[in-house]
Amino acid sequence: MRVRSGSFERGISVADDTPLTYEPLREDWDRALFIAPHPDDIEYGGAAAVARWTRQGKSVIYTMVTSGEAGIDAIPPEEAGPLREGEQRAAAEIVGVDVVEFLGFPDGTIEYGLPLRRELARAVRRHRPDIVVTGNHRETYGAGFLNQADHIAVGRAVLDGVRDAGNRWVFRDLLDDGLEPWGGVREVWMAGSPDSRHAVDTSDTFEVGMQSLHAHREYIDGLGEGGDPTDFLEEIARQAGIRLGCQYAVPFEVLSP
Ligand SMILES: [Zn+2]
């Protein structure tokens, strides 16, 4: 859903389709499942929001679709996979997340399809979250910045997997594994979406979010000179904060299943 240019109450016409102000995300929930394709994806902004939620006493669980084994040019996948799993666990711990699971799909070549939907539905039924958080499934991040294939496949499959999790007659083999349907997901939130209209205030947790990013030490080193995204992420969080009315914020697109 997009906001039409010129449709704001202030009557200001904008060049792009993004809103001038963000609505705050709801915080009347207890358990969130954050599903991401790769170790480091959550730390590109989302971790600061996670830190806020865990400080409020909420439970957040991370499900990583791959182990990020194709993410470091100089390190072969069989070494990089376990290394990156360790970095992800350390990053999670910093923001108060102690359950991190890895589904073992192939990094870089995830295919959207029934096997992926089934495993995501399985994760939703296992953890029974109120909120599912994931990344942007659209082709771009807006303004011509191309999204990545795994991100598009996973984001799309999360939306479907949430529905599948609630339907007894879809993926009936999950019932055989003792996993009853779970239709309790109230909203799906997509980080990094060009259609974001909501945000969460991360002024108090921006720094801890950055610490969790830097738990991905080998990965960031592997990006080489100028690869550290700290400044870039600070700028994005600051811009989002202006739209929410605080110092730093993380924007999300909100979808109701
Ligand atoms: Zn990624």
Side-chain angles (χ1 to χ4, degrees):
M1 186 165 55
R2 284 186 171 273
V3 178
R4 286 191 304 279
S5 295
S7 66
F8 300 104
E9 284 178 23
R10 298 180 209 182
I12 298 168
S13 188
V14 290
D16 63 17
D17 290 338
T18 53
L20 293 173
T21 58
Y22 290 132
E23 295 292 318
L25 276 182
R26 65 193 300 168
E27 295 190 323
D28 59 341
W29 52 273
D30 296 317
R31 181 191 293 254
L33 177 64
F34 204 142
I35 301 174
H38 312 117
D40 80 76
D41 288 338
I42 294 173
E43 287 69 35
Y44 271 67
V50 172
R52 174 185 172 98
W53 299 327
T54 59
R55 284 182 184 186
Q56 291 170 340
K58 303 183 194 309
S59 161
V60 182
I61 292 157
Y62 286 178
T63 292
M64 314 306 301
V65 177
T66 78
S67 298
E69 68 274 12
I72 306 177
D73 189 62
I75 303 180
E78 49 280 8
E79 251 178 82
L83 184 156
R84 300 205 68 201
E85 287 185 7
E87 290 187 340
Q88 184 60 61
R89 287 198 176 90
E93 200 179 321
I94 290 168
V95 294
V97 172
D98 48 22
V99 178
V100 184
E101 60 184 16
F102 297 87
L103 300 183
F105 281 80
D107 184 10
T109 54
I110 303 175
E111 287 182 301
Y112 172 86
L114 297 179
L116 179 58
R117 276 173 54 183
R118 177 186 286 105
E119 291 315 303
L120 296 180
R122 188 192 303 278
V124 171
R125 287 195 188 185
R126 200 166 50 234
H127 297 299
R128 303 168 82 82
D130 308 305
I131 301 291
V132 170
V133 192
T134 190
N136 176 26
H137 72 290
R138 303 187 188 282
E139 287 183 1
T140 73
Y141 287 99
F145 290 101
L146 196 61
N147 202 351
Q148 193 262 358
D150 287 350
H151 297 179
I152 296 169
V154 169
R156 182 70 252 172
V158 166
L159 297 179
D160 295 328
V162 166
R163 284 258 175 98
D164 300 335
N167 188 326
R168 177 175 304 279
W169 307 120
V170 174
F171 302 133
R172 293 173 70 173
D173 49 320
L174 298 181
L175 293 176
D176 299 337
D177 295 340
L179 292 168
E180 287 294 317
W182 176 248
V185 177
R186 288 148 70 186
E187 289 180 342
V188 180
W189 297 343
M190 309 198 85
S193 168
D195 289 345
S196 297
R197 298 179 66 182
H198 290 73
V200 56
D201 181 346
T202 52
S203 306
D204 293 338
T205 52
F206 177 80
E207 285 304 327
V208 73
M210 282 294 120
Q211 286 168 28
S212 78
L213 171 70
H214 289 99
H216 296 281
R217 177 45 51 208
E218 296 273 357
Y219 173 72
I220 292 171
D221 285 352
L223 296 173
E225 188 94 14
D228 188 327
T230 303
D231 292 346
F232 163 74
L233 294 174
E234 198 268 348
E235 174 66 15
I236 288 178
R238 208 164 45 76
Q239 291 295 335
I242 291 168
R243 289 178 171 191
L244 189 63
C246 57
Q247 187 184 7
Y248 292 121
V250 182
F252 291 90
E253 180 181 352
V254 174
L255 295 163
S256 298

